[in-house]
Amino acid sequence: MDSNGKAAARTVRIGGASGFWGDSSVGAPQLVASGQIDYLVFDYLAELTMSILAAARLKKPELGYATDFVTVAMKSVLKDVVAKGIRVVSNAGGVNPQACAAALAALAAEQGVPLKIAVVTGDDVMPLLPKLREAATPVRELQSGKPLPDKVLTANAYLGAEPIRAALDAGAQVVITGRCVDSAVTLGVLLLNILARILFKNKH
């Protein structure tokens, strides 16, 4: 509150640690070490990335996510992230977000760090393919107009920012998603803070 009893503006500092799978690994350590961020967000996914991850899961059911997120990025910053209260949002889950969360939980246990992890699911629409094929207007490829192929490795909807906001609001320190729109990892954070500010203003 300022001297006039009004809610003071709060700056939310979000560090973007990656823009694609294979991006430089120096971003996360630098951002965390700076001490100037409240949130650390990672974007890993593209259409080609999803197909690569689906192929990896086909060979090994425990794969299908961006392994670097756990074995490189979070391994190097996890203790500092928790100590500094930095919250993390990442779509590193790819086509197997539960496995990504399990790997991160194992890393946290190994480092002796308590960690609340939330997983956003619902983007996997593989179970809907039979209905989509049999619909009155069957789903077709956008540009070519070709029907769905007989063999599909993965089919995913693009989720938005609301599930991420809800997971953060529920107290998650790390939120892992599957396929979401690229902006959702950042927008989910902003929605949380905008809503908190609105609620605060309504109470006062």
Side-chain angles (χ1 to χ4, degrees):
M1 302 287 285
D2 62 18
S3 58
N4 297 316
K6 294 181 180 179
R10 177 176 181 269
T11 301
V12 178
R13 299 166 297 182
I14 304 171
S18 70
F20 57 90
W21 195 20
D23 202 351
S24 171
S25 62
V26 302
Q30 288 179 346
L31 288 164
V32 172
S34 74
Q36 297 179 8
I37 60 170
D38 304 302
Y39 297 86
L40 188 64
V41 301
F42 297 80
D43 177 26
Y44 284 98
L45 302 181
E47 287 71 27
L48 177 59
T49 310
M50 293 293 284
S51 64
I52 292 171
L53 294 174
R57 182 181 61 177
L58 195 62
K59 293 178 181 177
K60 279 187 160 185
E62 65 272 24
L63 294 181
Y65 63 93
T67 53
D68 312 16
F69 170 66
V70 178
T71 61
V72 178
M74 293 305 291
K75 186 175 183 179
S76 67
V77 300
L78 183 57
K79 287 185 177 180
D80 288 337
V81 159
V82 173
K84 294 180 179 183
I86 298 170
R87 302 173 80 180
V88 178
V89 180
S90 175
N91 60 13
V95 298
N96 202 350
Q98 296 284 6
C100 183
L104 182 59
L107 175 66
E110 179 185 314
Q111 294 191 0
V113 178
L115 194 64
K116 294 179 181 178
I117 305 170
V119 179
V120 174
T121 59
D123 63 298
D124 181 4
V125 296
M126 285 289 283
L128 299 179
L129 290 188
K131 288 184 178 180
L132 294 176
R133 285 195 173 95
E134 296 165 6
T137 306
V139 171
R140 293 182 174 274
E141 206 280 327
L142 183 62
Q143 267 112 32
S144 69
K146 293 180 179 179
L148 281 170
D150 293 333
K151 185 177 180 181
V152 177
L153 285 180
T154 185
N156 300 82
Y158 284 61
L159 300 183
E162 175 56 26
I164 294 171
R165 183 210 62 78
L168 291 169
D169 192 37
Q173 294 166 282
V174 179
V175 181
I176 296 172
T177 80
R179 194 55 172 119
C180 62
V181 295
D182 296 347
S183 61
V185 292
T186 300
L187 185 56
V189 171
L190 294 175
L191 284 176
L192 174 74
N193 287 274
I194 290 170
L195 182 60
R197 182 165 171 76
I198 290 171
L199 291 173
F200 181 85
K201 288 177 72 175
N202 288 340
K203 287 180 179 179
H204 296 82

